[in-house]
Each structure stands twice: as C-alpha cells, then as structure tokens.
Amino acid sequence: MASLREEIESRRTFAIISHPDAGKTTLTEKLLLYGGAIQTAGSVKGKQSAKHAVSDWMDIEKQRGISVTSSVLQFNYQGKCINILDTPGHQDFSEDTYRTLMAADSAVMVIDAAKGVEAQTIKLFKVCTLRHIPIFTFINKMDREARDPFELMENIEEILGIKTYPMNWPISCGKDFKGVYDRNAGRVLAFESDGRANGVKMVEEVEAELGDARLDDLIGTANHEKLAEDIELLDGAAEEFDLDAVQHGELSPVFFGSALTNFGVEPFLKEFLRLTPTPLPRKDAQSGELVEPCSEQFSGFIFKIQANMNKNHRDRIAFLRICSGKFERGMEAFHVQEGKNIKLATGTSLIKAERAPGGSLMADDRAIVSEAYAGDIIGLFDPGIFSIGDTLCTGKKHVQFAGIPTFAPEHFARVTQVDTMKRKQFVKGMEQIAQEGAIQIFRDLGAGMEEVIVGVVGVLQLEVLEYRLKNEYNVDIRMQTLPYEHLRWVLNDPEELDIKHLDVTSDTRAIEDMKGNPLLLFGSPWSINWAEQHNEALKLSEFGNLTF
C-alpha cells in the first residue's frame, strides 16, 4: 500500500491556458485519450465529429464551441495521477481562469502556430509569472499552414519575456507536415494522419535517427536536409536546458504538434510528466510559513463554486484544491472563515475521467471518492456555506491561505424578471450564479431584489446569465445595458458620510452590494476625478471583497 508521501508525489496538477480557438480543449481531450480515460475524443468544433468535448459540460459551451467555465478532469497515466484544469480561453471569462490558476502547480500554454502569441495568452501568462509556476508551451495546429518555428520562438520570448527551449522540432507544416524531431532522444517521430478532419485514434509512431537514409523516404530529401540545418542551428544558438529554471517559471520547454490529428501529443505528455513538479507548498497567510504538501494535517482552499452541474440534482459544488495531507470522506475539518468544524460527508464527489459505457465521458460524470491527497481537486457538496477563497484544515494549528482577488466589473446591466410570480426562483438563481463569481450583483440604495444591477468583466457573461436563468431556473428576464464603465467601493463609515448627498456628476449612481456596502458607479474616469475633488472626505477603492 502506497504511503502518504508516495501518493502525494505521484500527483501532477496543471492548468491549460490559451487564447480562444488555439486548441486548448482539444488538447485536453487527446491527453485523456492517451491516458486511457476515453476511447474517442470529440472536437469542440468539428464537422466530422458528432461528439462534444468532454470538458465542455454546459449546454451553451457545446452550442458555441467555446469553454465558458473551468472544468476539472482526473486520470492516471504511467503511475502518475493527473489533475487537468481546463480553463475558458474567451476573455469575457478570464476571471474564472485567474481563479483556476491559483489551484494549479504548473501551466500548459497552447499557442496557434499560425498566429503566435495572442492578447488573451499575454494576460493569462502574467498570472502564471506572478506565482512563478512552471510554464510549458504546446505550439498547436502544425498540420495547417504555420509561421516559421524560429519566428514563433522569438515571438514567445519577445512578447512574454520568458526564455524558451524547443524539446522537439517540426518537420514542415500544413499538408506537408511529417512529424517532429525529438531533440533529447535524437530521433524523428513521423506520424500519419488517419485522413479524417478529427483524428480520434492514437497514431502509430515511426522512429528513425537523423542522417538515416530511411528518413529520405519517410519525410523527403528536402525536409531531411532542412531538418539537419535547423537542428545544427538550434544546438549552437538555443538556450541550454536548465530544469531549475523550468521549475521556477524562467524557461519554457516548447513542444510542436497537432492536437486535432494527434501529432506529438503523447511525447509531449511523457516529457511534461517527467519535468513538471509534484504538488507545491503553499504559504499560510497568517504566519507566513510554508505548508508542506506531505504534512499529516489536511488543508485546502475553495477556488470555484458551480451550481447545477448536473440537471438531475440541482446542486452546488465547491471545488477544493487540497494543499496538504489526506482527505477522507466523512472527516471533520475546520472552516476558517466560519470559525467552526464541519463534516465533509454526503455528496462529496470528484469530477473523475473514467472509462464510461461506450467510451463516452462528460465532465459532469462523477465518482464518489473516499479519499484524495494533496494536489487533487475534489468537489464538495455546498449547502451555501462556502465562498471562493475559503480555507478548510485540520489540526490544532489552523492555517489560512491567501484570498482570491475580486475583479472590478466593466459592464453593467439592469435585470428584472418578466414574471413577478417567479421572484423566488429569480432571487435564488441570481444569488447562486453570483456566488460562483461569474457575476456581481448590486441594487439601488435600500431597494429590494425586484430589480438588480449586474456587473460583469465581459459582455458574454450577460448572455450566459440570461441563458442559465432560463434553462436552470426557468426564469425569463429583461435586461437593459447601463452606460457605466467604472465601479468604486466607498470606504467611509456610512454614519460619517451619506453617499446620497455627495456632489457628483449626472452620470454617477449610488448603489449597494448584497451586504449593504455602499458603492458608486461612474460613466467615465472624469466623473471619478470630479467626485474625489468635490468631496474631500470621500475615500474610494478599486477593489472589494464581494463574498456572500
């Protein structure tokens, strides 16, 4: 039986990040395919694929072909227990991605070979660098026309400011794509597509060393000569491989391939597991000390809350990243923010990638788990007691992990229900979706819930809100966008300063959050300056902790 340390050191927990449409969810599918978790993979958008991506469980994701929530998938491969956090690439859902990156020990950055580094990749990359976690790069879609690989490497280094080390090297691209050269093994891995738009089976590898006469037949004489030149140039000019620099997020190992047609996916997985770290220690915000993963005491933090993942159950799941020790179903743990012990029992579930009948799998398939270890992500049944950023722990000495920041919304809308008889469902739906962190809700001073103001980071979140209220809570809403762009929390004591009587511009609106904390909405930065200049006592903040 494996010891606590052996169980924890077999864990690998990573997030996959990218700009929309770079192929992130498709890569996730293929990793599951090679891990034996599924037998066929469904492309997110694929004319010849009737299946939907495993990690896109929400109906709107299947319809649009984009991921709008983070999903968690677990599988075993070559003695390692792998937890994949698949994140939304769309910028309107970046806040969910930021929170998810807090739970990862490393990140895989997927880049479109034709486009290079794109805007959303830059934002997400910055979050990774703040945490100094290892970043691996998978340059995808080499089976299509692509930029020169040297140009792509330079693009990553210049825009993201991280050094790169190509672990393999592509042999041509597009229709002439022949495979990759493994620099470490010193051999060519040539692949053959199954001729379909979405390669759904594992592909055969053909091995041959550089300079081998068989390579002329395998990849063509011209490709063989070009490859030999490129490798000579790389060996002479590229960065030296430094594992310590990789593990501190200073050097990114780069892999070329095509997730859709399975080129280079399994070699990437093997190398990634060899280089990526075991679960990392986390800092206790109270003492400043590191909490070691192999500690006997259990600890973890909530990084995501999701309601109605399973239409049959209408439940709420709180996603917990275990930071230390072992979780056992039925155990008691101290809920730091509530200041009391709670039992982690019924409904505890894990989004687990296992072979399902017919080989199909969706991310909302669940397996009840009796135990889990540091590095694992588990889903706890939430009766409404958890908030994003909460810490759970055992032992006499309580720990508390740093909170997860709240983003100030940039788009606002007035929302009312069409049928006033459905007020209860409307309130429940709004509050549950807000607790997930997808939206923030406000109201006019002293008002009820008949009419609320919704704040979001991206406008697509408003569409998702309308869709989910209709499909999950059976509530139709009216939505009117509001002309505000900036939100500020008022730090003054309400008894000292009445925000109803401030000297402000006509495009400023006084509101409150669900806890009654006062805020101001502004139509422009000029309006913020006016408010600060004409109300000397007024104290404003860009940040707030909007937990329920």
Side-chain angles (χ1 to χ4, degrees):
M1 190 173 170
S3 67
L4 178 70
R5 180 172 291 276
E6 286 170 336
E7 286 284 3
I8 291 170
E9 290 184 348
S10 72
R11 264 58 187 173
R12 299 292 185 275
T13 304
F14 65 96
I16 302 189
I17 61 172
S18 79
H19 194 83
D21 292 331
K24 169 181 53 58
T25 300
T26 307
L27 177 62
T28 304
E29 292 277 303
K30 297 310 168 78
L31 294 175
L32 292 174
L33 178 70
Y34 279 102
I38 55 175
Q39 292 161 318
T40 59
S43 166
V44 179
K45 294 180 193 170
K47 291 177 183 175
Q48 295 190 27
S49 174
K51 301 179 72 64
H52 292 291
V54 166
S55 51
D56 287 344
W57 59 269
M58 199 184 282
D59 286 343
I60 193 168
E61 295 182 305
K62 298 169 195 172
Q63 292 169 11
R64 294 238 180 173
I66 59 169
S67 301
V68 300
T69 60
S70 299
S71 55
V72 184
L73 301 151
Q74 187 189 75
F75 68 97
N76 292 293
Y77 180 79
Q78 294 190 344
K80 300 286 191 293
C81 181
I82 300 160
N83 296 290
I84 301 181
L85 296 152
D86 181 27
T87 62
H90 198 288
Q91 63 183 13
D92 285 5
F93 302 93
S94 55
E95 194 169 359
D96 194 36
T97 303
Y98 291 136
R99 285 193 289 265
T100 300
L101 284 170
M102 301 295 284
D105 293 318
S106 59
V108 173
M109 179 169 62
V110 183
I111 289 175
D112 186 327
K115 297 173 182 174
V117 177
E118 297 174 86
Q120 189 62 12
T121 315
I122 299 169
K123 289 173 75 175
L124 299 173
F125 176 83
K126 285 178 180 174
V127 178
C128 297
T129 55
L130 287 172
R131 293 197 51 228
H132 303 291
I133 59 174
I135 301 163
F136 295 78
T137 303
F138 187 84
I139 297 181
N140 194 25
K141 303 187 181 181
M142 289 305 299
D143 58 315
R144 302 180 189 178
E145 291 308 312
R147 290 168 68 173
D148 178 79
F150 283 107
E151 191 184 318
L152 285 165
M153 304 286 288
E154 189 178 347
N155 179 249
I156 294 167
E157 294 192 0
E158 283 186 1
I159 295 176
L160 301 180
I162 188 172
K163 294 175 181 176
T164 58
Y165 182 89
M167 302 297 289
N168 63 20
W169 198 250
I171 303 166
S172 193
C173 66
K175 291 178 180 176
D176 194 37
F177 182 51
K178 301 298 183 186
V180 292
Y181 173 76
D182 183 333
R183 292 184 69 200
N184 187 40
R187 63 172 186 259
V188 167
L189 299 177
F191 299 89
E192 290 182 21
S193 172
D194 60 8
R196 296 165 63 180
N198 180 25
V200 294
K201 297 191 176 91
M202 287 188 262
V203 288
E204 295 294 322
E205 297 179 4
V206 184
E207 296 182 8
E209 292 185 8
L210 200 62
D212 191 325
R214 289 184 303 151
L215 273 186
D216 288 344
D217 297 327
L218 197 62
I219 64 174
T221 307
N223 281 331
H224 192 176
E225 289 174 1
K226 175 77 166 63
L227 177 64
E229 289 173 14
D230 285 355
I231 297 305
E232 187 179 355
L233 187 59
L234 278 177
D235 290 344
E239 290 284 334
E240 289 292 318
F241 184 79
D242 181 347
L243 184 58
D244 187 62
V246 170
Q247 299 203 331
H248 285 87
E250 295 163 3
L251 179 70
S252 179
V254 178
F255 300 81
F256 292 85
S258 165
L260 193 64
T261 50
N262 287 330
F263 284 129
V265 176
E266 191 169 31
F268 161 72
L269 178 58
K270 287 177 179 175
E271 281 297 287
F272 173 76
L273 293 178
R274 184 175 71 85
L275 300 173
T276 195
T278 57
L280 300 172
R282 302 270 171 158
K283 187 179 283 187
D284 175 6
Q286 293 177 320
S287 67
E289 296 173 4
L290 289 176
V291 178
E292 291 297 330
C294 294
S295 161
E296 291 289 329
Q297 304 302 333
F298 163 84
S299 70
F301 65 90
I302 306 290
F303 68 93
K304 174 183 172 66
I305 294 171
Q306 188 72 54
N308 305 324
M309 287 191 72
N310 186 329
K311 287 180 180 178
N312 298 324
H313 298 293
R314 293 291 175 205
D315 54 6
R316 277 162 51 94
I317 298 293
F319 288 79
L320 178 99
R321 157 68 199 237
I322 304 176
C323 298
S324 68
K326 178 182 179 182
F327 161 85
E328 293 179 282
R329 191 155 60 96
M331 70 185 289
E332 271 203 356
F334 185 73
H335 184 189
V336 175
Q337 280 71 14
E338 288 284 314
K340 63 182 181 184
N341 284 324
I342 57 172
K343 191 172 184 179
L344 308 179
T346 51
T348 305
S349 60
L350 179 69
I351 317 309
K352 195 176 180 75
E354 291 183 325
R355 221 183 284 269
S360 64
L361 170 100
M362 290 304 294
D364 57 353
D365 285 350
R366 299 182 188 175
I368 302 296
V369 303
S370 298
E371 55 187 40
Y373 298 86
D376 285 339
I377 309 293
I378 58 173
L380 300 175
F381 172 68
D382 178 17
I385 60 172
F386 296 123
S387 294
I388 291 167
D390 283 4
T391 298
L392 295 173
C393 62
T394 60
K396 292 179 181 176
K397 186 184 175 186
H398 297 147
V399 299
Q400 183 172 348
F401 299 108
I404 297 174
T406 300
F407 283 57
E410 298 168 14
H411 305 274
F412 301 89
R414 179 191 290 115
V415 175
T416 56
Q417 71 258 42
V418 173
D419 184 352
T420 54
M421 298 297 287
K422 292 187 176 179
R423 183 181 182 279
K424 188 177 178 182
Q425 296 97 308
F426 173 71
V427 172
K428 182 183 179 184
M430 292 297 292
E431 289 185 345
Q432 286 195 343
I433 296 170
Q435 284 172 323
E436 294 171 19
I439 61 169
Q440 294 176 34
I441 50 177
F442 313 98
R443 59 193 171 202
D444 287 316
L445 298 175
M449 286 289 289
E450 296 78 19
E451 178 182 293
V452 295
I453 295 168
V454 174
V456 294
V457 175
V459 289
L460 192 52
Q461 285 173 304
L462 293 173
E463 288 185 45
V464 172
L465 170 66
E466 187 171 10
Y467 179 90
R468 290 188 61 190
L469 285 172
K470 171 71 175 172
N471 287 272
E472 295 174 20
Y473 301 92
N474 197 26
V475 174
D476 288 305
I477 59 169
R478 293 189 190 91
M479 191 180 294
Q480 178 191 354
T481 54
L482 298 172
Y484 305 108
E485 295 177 6
H486 304 277
L487 179 75
R488 294 291 183 271
W489 281 264
V490 178
L491 302 180
N492 303 75
D493 188 320
E495 293 182 7
E496 295 175 7
L497 185 75
D498 185 353
I499 64 169
K500 291 178 188 172
H501 301 109
L502 292 174
D503 181 2
V504 292
T505 57
S506 59
D507 64 345
T508 301
R509 183 170 183 167
I511 58 170
E512 62 185 20
D513 63 19
M514 292 301 107
K515 284 185 171 181
N517 297 316
L519 304 97
L520 292 173
L521 282 174
F522 297 97
S524 67
W526 185 84
S527 303
I528 301 173
N529 292 334
W530 174 281
E532 289 177 325
Q533 289 170 10
H534 290 77
N535 303 274
E536 287 186 8
L538 182 63
K539 297 175 189 172
L540 299 176
S541 171
E542 284 186 55
F543 305 100
N545 185 16
L546 293 185
T547 53
F548 278 70

